[in-house]
Amino acid sequence: MAEKQTEEKKSVLPSKSDFSEWYNELLLAGEIMDVRYPVKGLYVWFPFGFEVRKRTYSLIRELLDKDHKEALFPLLIPETEFMKEAEHIKGFENEVYWVTHGGKNELDVKLALRPTSETAIYPMYKVWVRSHADLPIKIYQIVNTFRYETKHTRPLIRLREITSFKEAHTVHATWDEAAEQVREATRIYQEFYMRLAIPTIVSKRPEWDKFPGADYTMAVDTLMPDNKTLQIGTAHHLGSNFAKTFDIKYEDAKGEQQYAHQTCYGISERSIAALISIHGDDKGLVFPPLVAPVQVVIIPILFGKSEEIITACRQVRDCLTAAGIRTAIDESDERPGAKYYRWEMKGVPLRIEIGPRDLKNNAATVVRRDSGSKESIPLGNIVEEVNKRFRVIHESLYERANSSLKERIFDCESIEEVKDKIQGGIARIAWCGERECGLAMEEAVGAGILGIPEGDMGSGTGNCPVCKKETGNMAIMARTY
Ligand code: A5A
Ligand code: ZN
């Protein structure tokens, strides 16, 4: 009977090959998000999901805190400020929620719920920036933002309330310094995603797809299991566009007034969408040890008299906990199989089983969540053995994700080939870089150009499929979220 119930439970999660169904079910079964909140595009973090968020965001905080300061600006932006930067307005006006009333009174000046915070932060930067000695300024905040998205909303991926918007806003003396900061931002994001074992591609967005008000946009993308790319971070060079509208000036060494140069860069809970989608499997969540809420679960294997085994399990738990390893012990009355199932769903990287035979050998059995592989390890060395496996698990998760990405990048020579290949991932094709050719390519393919990637992936030789000119630039195209 117990066996049968477990079997039935196992069928809750659809196979990952049916990605969309699998993703939706996993959010609930893995207790990440509850999608039943009665407003479209707004979702609820379960405590377990929120813990994943907390651990994930502590990684980005750690990276930023090296030379950024965390601050907090208001959620409400007066219409008068919001309407200052023409390009920015054009980009966001259809996505803004407006607060028009205070109680029954109509407000004199409408207030926007921030869709992003340039227009909340930069009026303050105008006051804060005085001299070149005040620069650079590097501030970030982690907040909720609101976007009235009209495309299909999806938990963690396209939200109307983005709950975990990490946005950094920097101010520099020169355009070149700001450009260096944009490079630094993409390096930080790549490092962040490395720690989540997620492979990324960095590319410069085509000029028609840049952030409203920016000189240019660099984007970080990853490839999801359903062969569509997800933009999981962006860094924008704002030039002095906002500095001019918000009058952000500094006095240079010669005593002359200069407009400042700015950047901003952001990520959201899409990072967690990528984390669970890329590593998860048919049994549920799979977490890299760095972010797993529970890193090790200990399951006592009991036959009859069990005192000794329970004691050994608790000793191991205490030992691992003392070493800073997040450890749980499952002493419930369920059968081991049911326990395995539950902790596998939760993505726990390592399971330790201790039964009579293990104890006799002064050993434990460890099972890796990512590969299912089983080994016997000596109890004497448990902390070291566990930490060693954490490193191996992290590396193999990254390797597996990275080969899966590489296998789904296809070199193409014609539009027809691109159309065919993007069903299976990312198409790489020569592009002269001209706007007209790029737009024609997007139109013909029915999908976007992500950009010309950094590094080797962005260079090669070929002819632009539209104007036929020879070029050394390779662009990547994909179906996107
Ligand atoms: N101020 C800058 C940083 C900005 O707003 N940039 S952005 O519009 O590109 O957003 C930053 C990142 O947030 C995007 O790269 C994307 O990963 C994420 N994002 C944007 N809209 C989102 C939405 N509706 N739901 C979830 N994530 C979103
Ligand atoms: Zn061309």
Side-chain angles (χ1 to χ4, degrees):
M1 186 60 205
E3 184 70 82
K4 182 143 189 294
Q5 275 177 358
T6 339
E7 283 308 315
E8 274 166 14
K9 267 199 201 156
K10 273 184 185 154
S11 61
V12 166
L13 204 59
S15 153
K16 194 178 174 185
S17 56
D18 189 356
F19 176 69
S20 182
E21 286 287 305
W22 174 88
Y23 181 75
N24 289 333
E25 288 300 327
L26 181 65
L27 291 175
L28 190 63
E31 294 182 335
I32 302 288
M33 305 294 298
D34 198 324
V35 303
R36 292 171 293 189
Y37 192 75
V39 178
K40 184 179 152 70
L42 274 55
Y43 309 95
V44 178
W45 287 98
F46 282 116
F48 182 76
F50 203 71
E51 206 177 329
V52 176
R53 175 199 189 267
K54 188 170 76 184
R55 303 214 173 273
T56 306
Y57 276 68
S58 80
L59 296 180
I60 190 70
R61 272 205 168 89
E62 188 188 320
L63 289 168
L64 289 172
D65 285 344
K66 286 176 188 161
D67 72 337
H68 295 64
K69 297 277 183 220
E70 188 172 359
L72 190 58
F73 289 78
L75 164 66
L76 298 174
I77 305 172
E79 184 182 22
T80 41
E81 296 299 332
F82 190 78
M83 292 304 189
K84 275 185 179 161
E85 217 286 334
E87 290 301 315
H88 195 65
I89 304 164
K90 259 197 272 163
F92 281 105
E93 65 187 350
N94 291 325
E95 292 186 7
V96 176
Y97 285 92
W98 289 104
V99 175
T100 56
H101 286 75
K104 289 186 176 153
N105 299 328
E106 198 170 331
L107 299 177
D108 293 339
V109 179
K110 285 197 291 183
L111 299 168
L113 292 185
R114 60 182 165 218
T116 166
S117 303
E118 285 71 16
T119 57
I121 296 176
Y122 301 168
M124 300 312 298
Y125 279 0
K126 168 189 160 77
V127 183
W128 292 355
V129 175
R130 283 281 158 264
S131 115
H132 62 95
D134 298 328
L135 303 178
I137 292 177
K138 300 183 191 181
I139 282 177
Y140 75 93
Q141 62 176 2
I142 300 176
V143 295
N144 54 351
T145 58
F146 294 82
R147 294 185 181 184
Y148 184 72
E149 295 278 0
T150 45
K151 274 204 202 167
H152 184 60
T153 53
R154 231 183 261 273
L156 301 176
I157 292 178
R158 179 163 282 103
L159 309 155
R160 285 186 171 175
E161 179 183 2
I162 310 172
T163 67
S164 315
F165 197 66
K166 192 292 297 166
E167 50 179 328
H169 294 266
T170 69
V171 191
H172 307 267
T174 66
W175 196 94
D176 286 346
E177 273 175 50
E180 177 49 32
Q181 189 62 33
V182 169
R183 279 191 292 277
E184 173 65 10
T186 59
R187 282 195 293 266
I188 291 172
Y189 288 170
Q190 279 173 293
E191 172 61 28
F192 168 61
Y193 283 112
M194 277 299 273
R195 293 186 185 188
L196 299 178
I198 295 173
T200 52
I201 301 174
V202 176
S203 64
K204 185 172 180 177
R205 284 280 182 264
E207 154 256 313
W208 59 89
D209 201 17
K210 67 186 185 190
F211 184 70
D215 277 1
Y216 65 87
T217 289
M218 299 300 295
V220 179
D221 293 286
T222 196
L223 186 57
M224 295 286 268
D226 60 354
N227 302 329
K228 289 197 270 184
T229 57
L230 182 65
Q231 175 183 297
I232 49 177
T234 31
H236 316 289
H237 195 309
L238 303 177
S240 47
N241 307 331
F242 284 87
K244 285 176 182 156
T245 33
F246 286 91
D247 196 33
I248 304 169
K249 281 190 273 196
Y250 69 93
E251 192 179 276
D252 69 13
K254 291 184 210 129
E256 275 162 39
Q257 292 289 309
Q258 304 285 355
Y259 281 115
H261 297 80
Q262 292 176 271
T263 82
C264 64
Y265 32 102
I267 56 169
S268 74
E269 52 259 61
R270 279 187 184 182
S271 53
I272 293 164
L275 175 73
I276 67 180
S277 303
I278 288 177
H279 301 313
D281 64 16
D282 288 357
K283 292 178 179 172
L285 297 162
V286 176
F287 288 118
L290 262 183
V291 288
V294 177
Q295 296 172 302
V296 175
V297 61
I298 304 171
I299 315 265
I301 310 291
L302 308 170
F303 296 98
K305 204 170 163 304
S306 54
E307 249 354 81
E308 244 186 321
I309 292 202
I310 292 284
T311 309
C313 286
R314 289 182 188 167
Q315 274 168 358
V316 170
R317 189 236 355 241
D318 293 345
C319 192
L320 294 176
T321 306
I325 295 168
R326 299 186 286 277
T327 311
I329 178 164
D330 192 339
E331 294 186 22
S332 67
D333 288 336
E334 281 171 299
R335 299 176 54 262
K339 294 183 184 180
Y340 298 168
Y341 162 81
R342 190 172 57 244
W343 294 101
E344 279 169 352
M345 176 63 83
K346 283 278 156 80
V348 180
L350 270 189
R351 178 171 84 224
I352 296 184
E353 303 165 9
I354 302 180
R357 202 179 326 148
D358 298 298
L359 211 53
K360 216 173 76 201
N361 298 330
N362 202 26
T365 303
V366 289
V367 184
R368 271 169 57 178
R369 173 67 182 89
D370 64 316
S371 65
S373 74
K374 228 176 195 185
E375 293 166 279
S376 179
I377 56 169
L379 279 179
N381 241 349
I382 196 90
V383 170
E384 212 172 293
E385 294 288 344
V386 163
N387 278 324
K388 197 164 79 192
R389 276 160 191 80
F390 282 172
R391 287 190 292 274
V392 174
I393 291 171
H394 185 94
E395 267 158 42
S396 32
L397 284 174
Y398 181 79
E399 281 315 320
R400 190 169 66 189
N402 197 35
S403 346
S404 163
L405 167 64
K406 294 277 147 66
E407 280 161 17
R408 289 181 290 158
I409 300 174
F410 305 99
D411 285 335
C412 299
E413 308 215 317
S414 68
I415 298 275
E416 279 315 305
E417 213 184 336
V418 173
K419 268 169 121 167
D420 176 40
K421 296 291 192 205
I422 59 163
Q423 301 310 319
I426 295 172
R428 190 169 163 269
I429 186 162
W431 172 41
C432 66
E434 290 299 323
R435 180 191 176 92
E436 264 171 47
C437 294
L439 288 172
M441 284 157 71
E442 289 191 340
E443 170 82 30
V445 172
I449 294 182
L450 298 179
I452 297 169
E454 280 188 340
D456 289 347
M457 206 191 292
S459 55
T461 46
N463 295 79
C464 172
V466 181
C467 68
K468 312 292 179 202
K469 253 187 252 151
E470 202 178 290
T471 171
N473 291 334
M474 304 300 278
I476 50 173
M477 301 185 75
R479 296 177 305 135
T480 58
Y481 269 94

